[in-house]
Amino acid sequence: MENYPAPARDLVAEMIEAAAADPARAVAFQGAPGANSHRAIMEHFPDGLAYPCFSFEDALEAVKEGRAGQAMIPIENSVHGRVADIHFLLPESGLAIVGEHFLPIVPALIGKQGHDIREVMSHPQALGQSRKWLRARGIRPIDYADTAAAVAAVAEMQDWSIAAIAPAFAAEIYGLDVLADAIADEASNTTRFLILAREPRVPQGGDVMTSFIFQVNNVPAALYKALGCFATNGINMTKLESYQRGASFAATEFYTDIEGAPGDPPVDRALEELRFHARRVNMLGTYPQARKRG
């Protein structure tokens, strides 16, 4: 908690204390109070207790240790791409994906009225999503670890030539002003969040997604053969993202989302064939679709 700016610390302590009294309702998130992850929890879990954590690892650890019943982690943004290294963190955490949530991102410029703004602090994602807006006004971006924590830092420094980019409701939390609202370069700016829990859940009806990671064998046409498992079984793959683990560069791993669930005959056939062509397949979870694909 000592890593948060001073204006955030008391609120963080209050939120953690409330969560400790009812951990089943607690939802861990990375960031200071007022962050987009906090907003997402308020939307998806109106009766939940937001549990702020300084890092993604801390949020996952809170769930593993039972201090929170679930965690909500951003995985991708429609404008700026990958958000969290969930590909590395989730398999090692032992947690399961049990849901998803899509949050429209409406960043605001937050500071004190009546001052010329020369610099703005925020998470690199937020700065990238408002890059054109800032450039047009000659405001210099400064990377900060978290959007809402940047607002708390501005309140602590009281150098009113510096502002922050964060959700508008963070201004009220830290006693500052919304200087400009909806400053994203793209109006359709949206972040997808994953909901994580200690145990997997079986969705009851409706459209579902299944997420997993696989590592291809280091042979010619390995990815082509792996993808063919889904094409020949009529499985819609909605996401395929590659990344490297370690420094060997010997084999690529892929984070994948498909429509359907294990237990569906086409999905079972596709996964059985994939295990023949892949070195490793790590299932991450099956969960209801929050938004219809296609």
Side-chain angles (χ1 to χ4, degrees):
M1 189 186 306
E2 64 276 4
N3 293 313
Y4 289 102
R9 289 178 197 157
D10 288 345
L11 183 55
V12 169
E14 291 174 10
M15 295 170 72
I16 291 176
E17 183 178 0
D22 193 355
R25 290 172 55 207
V27 185
F29 72 97
Q30 183 276 327
N36 279 308
S37 296
H38 188 181
R39 280 184 60 221
I41 290 170
M42 293 168 64
E43 282 191 7
H44 196 88
F45 299 100
D47 296 324
L49 298 171
Y51 184 120
C53 301
F54 191 74
S55 69
F56 291 117
E57 291 91 336
D58 292 341
L60 300 181
E61 197 69 25
V63 179
K64 288 174 61 178
E65 295 179 352
R67 289 178 281 119
Q70 299 173 100
M72 182 171 268
I73 302 293
I75 187 171
E76 58 186 325
N77 177 265
S78 60
V79 174
H80 215 64
R82 183 188 297 180
V83 177
D85 285 329
I86 198 69
H87 319 76
F88 300 109
L89 299 175
L90 185 52
E92 297 168 0
S93 73
L95 303 181
I97 304 173
V98 297
E100 63 177 359
H101 182 80
F102 291 86
L103 180 74
I105 303 300
V106 187
L109 185 72
I110 297 173
K112 272 292 184 184
Q113 293 282 6
H115 300 272
D116 292 330
I117 304 302
R118 297 195 306 268
E119 298 176 328
V120 63
M121 302 194 308
S122 196
H123 188 278
Q125 285 276 345
L127 295 173
Q129 293 161 14
S130 303
R131 177 179 56 83
K132 296 177 184 177
W133 192 94
L134 295 173
R135 190 186 194 97
R137 290 156 180 80
I139 300 175
R140 186 170 76 91
I142 301 173
D143 288 356
Y144 201 82
D146 174 65
T147 55
V151 180
V154 168
E156 182 178 32
M157 292 185 299
Q158 297 191 11
D159 178 349
W160 305 126
S161 68
I162 302 175
I165 293 177
F169 89 110
E172 182 177 351
I173 290 175
Y174 298 109
L176 298 179
D177 304 313
V178 174
L179 308 179
D181 204 359
I183 64 172
D185 297 331
E186 300 289 341
S188 61
N189 190 1
T190 302
T191 293
R192 178 187 177 215
F193 290 80
L194 296 179
I195 301 161
L196 311 174
R198 286 186 295 279
E199 299 294 335
R201 299 173 191 164
V202 179
Q204 301 300 315
D207 297 319
V208 299
M209 303 290 297
T210 295
S211 298
F212 56 92
I213 289 172
F214 69 92
Q215 183 183 59
V216 294
N217 293 314
N218 194 21
V219 297
L223 180 59
Y224 173 82
K225 294 173 183 176
L227 297 183
C229 303
F230 300 94
T232 57
N233 285 286
I235 303 299
N236 184 27
M237 182 177 290
T238 64
K239 181 179 178 67
L240 180 69
E241 188 170 43
S242 64
Y243 64 101
Q244 293 282 344
R245 183 183 295 272
S248 67
F249 298 97
T252 301
E253 297 193 13
F254 295 89
Y255 174 93
T256 309
D257 293 335
I258 61 171
E259 291 189 306
D264 299 340
V267 173
D268 287 345
R269 287 195 299 269
L271 291 174
E272 183 179 0
E273 293 173 22
L274 176 64
R275 290 185 175 94
F276 178 79
H277 294 293
R279 181 177 301 177
R280 181 172 63 89
V281 179
N282 190 338
M283 305 302 294
L284 301 180
T286 297
Y287 47 95
Q289 286 189 18
R291 177 180 294 180
K292 180 67 178 175
R293 273 41 170 201

